Amino acid sequence: MTELTFGWITPVLSYVMACVGSALGLRCMVRALSATGRSRRNWLINGAMAIGTGIWTMHFIAMLGFGVTGTEIRYDVPLTVLSLLVAIVVVGIGVFAVGYLASKTLSVLIGGIVAGLGVAAMHYIGMAAMRMSGQVSYDPGVVTLSVAIAIAAATAALWATLNIHGKAAAVGASLVMGVAVSAMHYTGMAAVSVEVHAGHSAAGATPMQFVFPLTVVLGSYLFLTSAFVALSPGPQKTPELPV
């Protein structure tokens, strides 16, 4: 079992996507907190989509490098799509908590826990979508550690949204968040063990048939949206985003 089927390209690319998603999500949330009404809601929605999509893309780019000797890995398409929706919706609940709760401390705690659980749920639903000729099992202690890392990472990101100002600080926060999200993923993968069953064939879509094209589409969305946010007016003239 290896995470480096294609060498270091998948860990590095997945880290970059985690940083891009975090940076875009943090920027959208900063814009949201300086806006009101519909504009605030739309910035929060876009922030949730950016963070959820970035984390999902990071996960499945990393999974392209996951290989098990003796079996081909395939994916259940509906479960894989569900993992993306869960990431966006549950992270969105945490983002909206920060956007609308009056207490900063309470909003960061509630938002961090909920968003972190959403990240962990996305990871393990995505893992459940794997199909192979073998039995997958998990170390409960390492799984618990990965969930704790996800909650800590989400809480740190939301805290940074409320407390970090300036472009240099925001870039630093997104780089740290990329490390935290990657650490959560690879800690979760360290919990995995596979007992291969020879002679069985796995059903489902291959990574190159489904996962790779979807990650390219979502990665393009993140980069294009990042450009839009970077070029849009500052908080004083917050635009109404299309949603």
Side-chain angles (χ1 to χ4, degrees):
M1 192 170 70
T2 180
E3 297 284 340
L4 301 173
T5 300
F6 300 107
W8 285 97
I9 187 170
T10 47
V12 171
L13 261 181
S14 64
Y15 171 70
V16 170
M17 295 312 302
C19 291
V20 170
S22 298
L24 178 55
L26 290 174
R27 188 61 181 164
C28 286
M29 289 186 66
V30 168
R31 296 292 186 89
L33 294 173
S34 66
T36 58
R38 181 184 174 190
S39 185
R40 171 173 287 201
R41 182 205 69 186
N42 288 349
W43 279 115
L44 290 172
I45 290 173
N46 280 273
M49 290 181 64
I51 295 172
T53 300
I55 292 169
W56 188 94
T57 305
M58 175 270 153
H59 170 82
F60 279 98
I61 287 177
M63 290 306 296
L64 290 173
F66 180 65
V68 179
T69 303
T71 179
E72 183 181 20
I73 297 175
R74 294 176 178 265
Y75 288 90
D76 179 284
V77 173
L79 266 183
T80 304
V81 173
L82 176 63
S83 69
L84 172 61
L85 297 177
V86 166
I88 293 172
V89 172
V90 182
V91 167
I93 294 172
V95 165
F96 269 76
V98 172
Y100 287 102
L101 288 178
S103 168
K104 285 187 177 182
T105 301
L106 185 62
S107 66
V108 168
L109 289 176
I110 293 177
I113 291 171
V114 173
L117 291 175
V119 171
M122 176 282 298
H123 176 89
Y124 288 105
I125 292 173
M127 294 298 293
M130 286 194 310
R131 297 291 180 263
M132 65 182 76
S133 55
Q135 180 66 42
V136 179
S137 58
Y138 296 89
D139 182 316
V142 181
V143 168
T144 301
L145 177 60
S146 71
V147 174
I149 292 173
I151 292 172
T155 303
L158 298 180
W159 177 88
T161 300
L162 296 176
N163 294 280
I164 291 180
H165 306 285
K167 291 183 179 180
V171 169
S174 66
L175 294 176
V176 172
M177 279 304 305
V179 171
V181 171
S182 297
M184 179 271 158
H185 172 84
Y186 287 106
T187 300
M189 295 307 297
V192 176
S193 59
V194 180
E195 181 183 348
V196 176
H197 299 159
H200 293 75
S201 59
T206 66
M208 291 304 173
Q209 287 174 331
F210 175 66
V211 173
F212 178 71
L214 188 54
T215 54
V216 170
V217 169
L218 294 177
S220 299
Y221 156 77
L222 285 173
F223 280 105
L224 290 173
T225 307
S226 296
F228 169 79
V229 172
L231 294 173
S232 64
Q236 294 81 3
K237 299 180 180 179
T238 305
E240 294 285 338
L241 286 183
V243 176

